[in-house]
Structure formats: structure tokens, C-alpha cells
Amino acid sequence: MTGTAERRLVLLGATGSIGAQSLEVLARYPGIARLHGLAVGGSRPQQVAEQVLVHRPERLVVADPGHAETIERTVTVACADAGIATPRIDAGQNAVIDLAGSLGDHDVVLNAITGSVGLLPTLAALTSGARLALANKESLVVGGHLVTAAAAPGQILPVDSEHTAIAQALAGVRPDQVSRLVVTASGGPFRGRTREQLATVTPEQALAHPTWAMGRVITTNSATLVNKALEVIEACFQFDLPEDRVDVVVHPQSIVHSMVTLVDGSTIAQASPPDMRHAIGWALAHPEKLPGLAAALDFSAAQSWTFEPVDEDTFPAIAIARASHREGGGAMAAYNAANEEAVDAFFAGDLSFLGITELIREVLDHPRRPRADLTDGVDGVLAVETWARGAARSLIGEQGR
Ligand code: NDP
Ligand code: MG
């Protein structure tokens, strides 16, 4: 790496699947950036202490104040034992936002928080001028117009294999040369099942993803295809295209990470074995390439890559998201909030697997759903979110699914 010796990195969601893999990439390629700060939810104190010992950040933020004391004690003892300085430790959601906005335009913030709680940190990072490596797709989905308005061209680098693939396929392509984006989907663990077969699915079955090891929410979203629905919206905002120019195709091998079809009939694909370190390293090091970052494809053995249409009747999540994107305003915030509540209820045993998408539809069809418009800003989005969470919870409670 050249020219990045002084670059600082803030990592939000350090103990998660993306966060931990990001620290692995950083340990292997220390020239990318110096770790300035970590933010975590707080449920994994031992892991946080280990990360602090290895990477020695100056700041640590614990989002959930209820976990702050345990984290502080564990980290302080670990640092004293190792004879190193304890980082400054803050707690609470405002401290996460403050950390996200604390760097400058030479630096990078990687947002790997799960859920729409990532929106305000995303906006803070963009306002600071830092590069935003964005794994938290929910912030782009729920606040797409706010996020794109706050971002300078090229300031957001997606950390989502599909969008990282599209960004790479678009290198050297002008916007007027693009015909369609083609987002690939593994199909999740229930590809080929009927609705009847999905009626009795358990959380354990939903967590058994065939090709990717990820956090709980995104893994469940991959099983319902809500993740692919969020990714269609993410692509619309990231690449400034309407939803009817973003296709989805099921590709069970997860080798082709997405494609771009050009106006001349050519399709450009990005292919590599499924490994999120590729997307993480791409976004952190761009425009450099990290040698040996992840394994390359081996074409000495026979292999087949297959593509098939999505079964939209069994998995209606994408069609519902397309409609909410066409409506615009706060509809996508309502979609995402309903899904987050539904996933929690599914894990609590209060909602069936098929009930997740049904609940999203009911919340969007609710006659009293507030319609935030583009002038309502972040408060409008948050108000829709709050309403949608309340509506989702009472629908779950009423129907005792
Ligand atoms: P995880 O659930 O594994 O990790 C979430 C992380 O966020 C944890 O470190 C958690 O802390 C932390 N956290 C929770 N709440 C807050 C908060 N309010 N402020 C700061 N940190 C918080 O998620 P994943 O890593 O799987 O996913 C992260 C994001 O990346 C999601 O948006 C997901 O959709 C996206 N993504 C993930 C991929 C993957 O392969 N995993 C692929 C593509 C995108 P704690 O450990 O204490 O709970
Ligand atoms: Mg993805």
C-alpha cells in the first residue's frame, strides 16, 4: 500500500461477523490504516478485550450502556495485565455517532452495525468527510435519499459482495452505458421449497446458510430473501438506478457476486469464491489491490455455475420491497423496521417463518401508516420507523402467530 500510512480507521460493529473479519484483514495488511476506534454493542466483553490488546485503538464505544461497566472492567484489567494504556471508553448511542463522525477526509469509517440503528452513524461519517466503507445496508435502505444527499461522489464504498462486485464491474463504464444491474442471490437454505414446506421452519434451520457464515439477522434475511430485497434497494441508491433496472437471479454457488449488463449487450461479472474479506479489503484499500487477500478461483477442476429465476410466489419479499421503493419516502423505513421486529419475534417463538414477510406486507398496507416525504429529513424517517415498530409489535401480539 502506498500513501495511506497515516490513514485512521473507525470500525463500528467490531465484534460481529464483518467486524471480526475486518480486523483480520487489518492485521494482515497493517498499511491500510491505523485503528483509531472501535464501537460494539457490548454483549461480548472478552472478544472486545482481545481486539483492544491486538489493535490498541485510542477509543472504544459501547453502544448499550447496560454492558458498559462489564466491558470497561474487562478491558481495563486486560490492558493492565498486558502493560498497555487503556483506551478512552464511552457508552451510549450518541457516543457511537460521535465516534463515527470524529475522523476526517483522509480517513475511513467501516460501518458494520446491524440494523437501522446504523443510519445516524452513517450520516455522521459522511458529514465528517471520511470514506465510508458501508456494510450496514439498512442505513442506505431506510434513509437512502438522506445518505446519498450527504455523500460526495465515491465517498461510499459498499461492503456487500453484490455491490462490491457491481462497483468493480462498473470501473471504466459511464452511467449512460449501463443497461441493467443483475444482483445474484444464493437462494438461501430454502431454495426449491414450497410455502407449505416453509410453514414449520425453525430458527435453527433458517440459520443454516449454504454458502455464507454471517450474523443472525442477515442470515435470517437471506432465508426469507429479505436480504436480497434490501440489496435491490441498496443498489438503487448506491448506483442511482430505478428498481426496474435492477434484476435478481438465483446463483446457488455464490461465485458470481453480481453483474452489469451494458447497452451493447455485453454483461460484466465479478467472480471469486465466497469470502467477505474480499469485499472488506476492496473497500478499505481502494483503489489499491491487496495481494493474496482471498483465494482465487481454481479452474483446473470442473465446476458449474448455474442461474435460475427467483420463485417470487414462495418468496414475496423482493416484490414488496420494489413496491416500497417505487412509493419512496418512508416506505422502505417501514419495510425494514417491520422486518427487524419480525426477525426478533421469530427467534422469540412468537412468529412463524412465513409470518415474517406477511408482517412486512401488513405493516406496509396498514391504513394508518405515516407517509414521510423527502422534506421531512432524518426525523421523518425515524418517526416512520418508530410507528412501524409499534404497529409490527401490536400485530404480532394481536394475532398470536
Ligand atoms: P453481527 O450481528 O454479526 O454484528 C453486529 C455488530 O454490531 C456486533 O459487533 C454488535 O455488537 C454491534 N452492534 C450492535 N448494536 C450496535 C450499536 N447500536 N452500535 C454499535 N455497534 C453495535 O452482524 P454482521 O457482521 O453479520 O452484519 C453487519 C452488517 O453488515 C449488517 O448490516 C449486514 O446486513 C451487513 N452485511 C453482512 C455480511 C456478512 O457476511 N455478515 C455480508 C454483507 C453485509 P455485539 O457483538 O456486542 O452485539
Ligand atoms: Mg450481500
Side-chain angles (χ1 to χ4, degrees):
M1 295 283 308
T2 53
T4 53
E6 294 305 309
R7 180 192 276 173
R8 293 174 297 170
L9 169 68
V10 155
L11 175 56
L12 311 175
T15 47
S17 161
I18 294 287
Q21 292 180 85
S22 303
L23 289 177
E24 261 180 55
V25 171
L26 193 63
R28 272 178 59 206
Y29 301 94
I32 291 177
R34 180 169 56 77
L35 188 68
H36 173 72
L38 297 176
V40 299
S43 65
R44 299 178 249 205
Q46 207 51 49
Q47 189 182 350
V48 177
E50 284 159 21
Q51 292 181 340
V52 168
L53 291 186
V54 173
H55 295 278
R56 310 214 179 165
E58 287 155 42
R59 292 189 60 184
L60 170 63
V61 173
V62 186
D64 181 347
H67 290 304
E69 207 183 308
T70 312
I71 296 259
E72 181 155 14
R73 197 173 46 244
T74 313
V75 169
T76 305
V77 168
C79 288
D81 287 351
I84 64 168
T86 307
R88 167 182 157 190
I89 303 178
D90 298 294
Q93 204 51 49
N94 285 338
V96 178
I97 297 165
D98 176 66
L99 178 65
S102 66
L103 300 183
D105 55 13
H106 187 61
D107 302 316
V108 55
V109 176
L110 199 167
N111 185 350
I113 300 172
T114 288
S116 61
V117 68
L119 173 61
L120 293 176
T122 280
L123 292 172
L126 290 172
T127 306
S128 76
R131 168 186 298 190
L132 177 63
L134 186 60
N136 177 254
K137 66 190 84 181
E138 295 91 336
S139 53
L140 199 47
V141 169
V142 306
H145 52 286
L146 301 169
V147 172
T148 49
Q155 194 181 0
I156 304 177
L157 290 172
V159 180
D160 201 350
S161 55
E162 297 76 4
H163 306 73
T164 309
I166 291 169
Q168 290 174 86
L170 285 173
V173 174
R174 291 198 316 263
D176 62 297
Q177 297 171 327
V178 174
S179 173
R180 318 187 63 73
L181 306 182
V182 186
V183 174
T184 53
S186 71
F190 306 132
R191 182 175 61 90
R193 304 262 185 107
T194 61
R195 285 188 76 75
E196 292 67 42
Q197 290 169 322
L198 294 181
T200 54
V201 159
T202 64
E204 292 67 36
Q205 290 168 319
L207 287 179
H209 195 277
T211 49
W212 295 101
M214 309 175 287
R216 181 177 100 161
V217 176
I218 184 174
T219 306
T220 311
N221 292 350
S222 299
T224 52
L225 294 204
V226 165
N227 183 51
K228 212 45 60 179
L230 299 180
E231 289 182 351
V232 168
I233 310 303
E234 180 187 6
C236 293
F237 284 115
Q238 178 73 41
F239 303 109
D240 195 20
L241 283 170
E243 60 78 25
D244 60 1
R245 286 176 62 196
V246 181
D247 299 330
V248 178
V249 63
V250 174
H251 166 52
Q253 297 80 18
S254 300
I255 301 272
V256 173
H257 296 300
S258 277
M259 302 179 266
V260 175
T261 298
L262 305 181
V263 288
D264 65 1
S266 166
T267 294
I268 305 177
Q270 186 267 325
S272 52
D275 184 339
M276 279 311 290
R277 288 172 303 184
H278 180 270
I280 293 164
W282 174 83
L284 291 180
H286 184 77
E288 304 294 328
K289 299 282 176 213
L290 300 171
L293 173 61
L297 290 167
D298 174 7
F299 290 102
S300 65
Q303 51 189 297
S304 12
W305 302 351
T306 59
F307 299 90
E308 59 191 68
V310 177
D311 175 355
E312 302 259 10
D313 294 331
T314 307
F315 299 99
I318 298 173
I320 302 171
R322 287 185 186 282
S324 71
H325 185 257
R326 285 194 300 274
E327 180 191 319
M332 289 153 291
Y335 181 108
N336 182 70
N339 180 61
E340 289 185 14
E341 293 299 323
V343 170
D344 278 350
F346 173 58
F347 279 94
D350 295 334
L351 189 66
S352 69
F353 180 76
L354 290 175
I356 297 174
T357 330
E358 279 163 24
L359 186 75
I360 297 172
R361 195 198 296 280
E362 281 171 48
V363 168
L364 282 165
D365 288 347
H366 199 293
R368 288 196 299 282
R369 174 163 64 84
R371 303 288 204 267
D373 70 28
L374 301 186
T375 56
D376 290 333
V378 77
D379 291 342
V381 171
L382 297 179
V384 173
E385 270 242 313
T386 306
W387 175 87
R389 287 183 192 282
R393 282 192 213 117
S394 61
L395 284 165
I396 294 163
E398 269 169 29
Q399 300 178 16
R401 299 151 194 254

